[in-house]
Amino acid sequence: MALLEQWHSIAYNEKMDKGELKRFWDDYFKLETSVYEKLLEHPDEVVEGTVKELAERFGLDIMPMTGFLDGINDSLVTPNPIEEMEEDTHVSLAFDKERLYKNMVDAKADWLYELPQWEKIFDEEKRKELYLEQKKSGTIVKEEKIYPNDPCPCGSGKKYKKCCGRGK
């Protein structure tokens, strides 16, 4: 069984009780945070190696490392082959800084996008800009409905029903 399948069977185990699941994710988020703190200290350093080597480098077991690789994959310059990944698969953690920040915002992971290491990467203005860009990208804006007796949006001064709203 590929590592990702094993990770999913553990992390999304429906048989685990809620307290156990909460403890699992709390522990995982602490490990994840420590890896991000180290990566963000040197954001331009390309970190790569086998899954096992990276797990050892960051002081993780294989499964949490697999979860980390799954989580960061959409933020990488070149995604890793996570579907068929094994312990000896060579992977890279070269991430796109803006994409990573936005993905953290999208995941509502404030404990990650508020890490102090981001302050050295982006100034406050840039972080706000990226935050707002990401939030707006998921916002659906409905067009305002035009009713027959409303003024026509073309600016003619006529009612919509007598102008552009007329069925031809």
Side-chain angles (χ1 to χ4, degrees):
M1 182 186 302
L3 290 176
L4 190 63
E5 278 182 74
Q6 291 175 48
W7 166 253
H8 284 172
S9 70
I10 295 167
Y12 304 106
N13 183 348
E14 293 179 11
K15 293 176 184 151
M16 205 184 295
D17 74 59
K18 285 185 179 178
E20 210 177 348
L21 199 58
K22 183 180 179 339
R23 277 189 300 282
F24 171 84
W25 282 106
D26 286 347
D27 292 344
Y28 171 75
F29 291 143
K30 286 177 192 159
L31 296 172
E32 176 189 48
T33 301
S34 74
V35 175
Y36 276 119
E37 287 170 339
K38 292 170 189 161
L39 283 178
L40 294 173
E41 280 296 324
H42 307 283
D44 297 317
E45 179 186 331
V46 177
V47 177
E48 51 185 39
T50 65
V51 175
K52 186 175 182 170
E53 289 168 348
L54 292 182
E56 289 169 0
R57 177 176 177 170
F58 291 107
L60 302 179
D61 290 329
I62 293 294
M63 282 300 107
M65 189 70 221
T66 302
F68 182 84
L69 289 165
D70 184 24
I72 197 173
N73 210 44
D74 290 340
S75 303
L76 299 177
V77 174
T78 304
N80 290 312
I82 60 170
E83 297 293 332
E84 59 270 352
M85 191 169 61
E86 296 295 341
E87 286 186 26
D88 61 350
T89 304
H90 188 84
V91 292
S92 170
L93 296 179
F95 58 91
D96 177 297
K97 295 178 205 89
E98 288 189 9
R99 195 175 331 147
L100 179 61
Y101 190 85
K102 287 178 174 184
N103 286 340
M104 288 175 171
V105 170
D106 188 44
K108 298 174 177 63
D110 55 341
W111 65 94
L112 295 176
Y113 67 78
E114 290 177 355
L115 284 170
Q117 287 82 352
W118 282 112
E119 295 168 15
K120 294 177 188 167
I121 299 169
F122 299 126
D123 62 26
E124 187 176 350
E125 189 177 315
K126 181 67 174 176
R127 291 192 313 273
K128 280 183 183 175
E129 176 190 320
L130 293 171
Y131 180 91
L132 290 174
E133 266 180 43
Q134 181 55 44
K135 287 297 185 183
K136 285 179 183 174
S137 74
T139 304
I140 299 169
V141 180
K142 285 186 175 180
E143 277 191 39
E144 196 173 314
K145 178 143 175 65
I146 303 169
Y147 294 94
N149 287 324
D150 288 345
C152 191
C154 76
S156 67
K158 298 179 182 177
K159 288 184 179 186
Y160 179 68
K161 67 182 178 188
K162 297 281 187 182
C163 191
C164 295
R166 210 185 302 173
K168 296 187 181 178

